[in-house]
Amino acid sequence: MSNFSKIRNSARLSIAPMMDWTDRHCRYFHRTFSKSILLYTEMVTSPALVQGNATYLLEFDKSENPLALQLGGSDPTELARAAVIGASLGYDEINLNVGCPSDRVQSGIFGAILMKTPEIVANCCKEMIDAVDIEVTVKCRIGVDQQDPNETLPKFLECISKVGVTRVIIHARKAILSGLSPKQNRNVPPLNYELVYKMKEQFPNLHISLNGGIQSLNQAQLHLENGIDGIMIGRAAYQKPGEVLLDVNRLIYNLPNRQVSEKEIVKQMIPYIENQYKNGNKVSKITRHMLGLFSGRPGAKVWRKVLSENAHSSGPEIVLQALSEVE
């Protein structure tokens, strides 16, 4: 199987890029659930990489692959240079953020505001596609502000398709750029899955992943069975990873792998936590991503309590202590 095909297969389920959440420790943790899931970095701006030389933001463990680098920016030349940096470091995909609605992102002229200028997005994508051998993808909304998504989304997809974009992740909710906070933009306006399905019918050669509001693997399965190519899960996978991800190999990738348990996931994390601790990282930087592991299970409360109160000033042994409390 070619690397291109492997990424397409992995994209059946991906975990959304989330600022301040999906750092390298979070991604390593999520990787323990499956070798197949496609993981994404937090958004990294092209100015930070090209002008600020902040390549430390791109550090990752090779076990995190398949891994996509999400870039934010609107300067084609600068994005191309940032994409080259990412590709040279071993990322499997470069993704352009055309979905974030925050004021800070808007002021930098990137994120969801770019839905208003599909030609700029297309130019950025073309420069990146020409610059790297790995796939360049786009994560977008169905529209912004007063746009009619039924009109603007197909035009947007047609525009980026013409320059060679063949895979896109669509957050099935319009972004309201003025008057709503990023948090509010996660809940209103309502999701429009039907429109994303229509786009798959209209652009059959475009690999489309659906993002927004998906809370379980069963929901993901249903969308995949109905013709969507991939599913991207965000906060649900972060806040209740055990509940959402434990059976991903069987349900999404049709693998015969034995389903692991939450306790096995913890034990798989111990060597990584010990190594990071030896290198000067606080245990809490890793365990903050693991607090929801036992969500909905007996012992979830004591697991969170032990780690929340002690991990910032303890060594790796605190994780085993918390696990013993669960047991």
Side-chain angles (χ1 to χ4, degrees), residues 244-263:
V244 173
L245 298 176
L246 277 175
D247 209 15
V248 66
N249 281 335
R250 181 177 67 87
L251 293 179
I252 302 300
Y253 298 103
N254 300 313
L255 296 173
N257 296 31
R258 177 180 63 86
Q259 180 180 341
V260 297
S261 68
E262 291 93 338
K263 294 173 184 177

Side-chain angles (χ1 to χ4, degrees), residues 136-156:
V136 174
T137 68
V138 172
K139 185 176 187 294
C140 65
R141 295 283 188 135
I142 59 173
V144 296
D145 295 338
Q146 302 306 313
Q147 289 181 337
D148 179 356
N150 292 289
E151 295 181 2
T152 57
L153 183 58
K155 290 179 181 178
F156 178 85

Side-chain angles (χ1 to χ4, degrees), residues 115-166:
M115 291 295 297
K116 295 182 177 182
T117 53
E119 296 81 8
I120 291 178
V121 176
N123 288 337
C124 290
C125 291
K126 185 179 187 305
E127 289 292 321
M128 289 189 287
I129 290 170
D130 290 344
V132 298
D133 293 327
I134 58 176
E135 191 166 19
V136 174
T137 68
V138 172
K139 185 176 187 294
C140 65
R141 295 283 188 135
I142 59 173
V144 296
D145 295 338
Q146 302 306 313
Q147 289 181 337
D148 179 356
N150 292 289
E151 295 181 2
T152 57
L153 183 58
K155 290 179 181 178
F156 178 85
L157 295 180
E158 181 178 8
C159 193
I160 63 174
S161 296
K162 285 181 177 179
V163 299
V165 174
T166 58

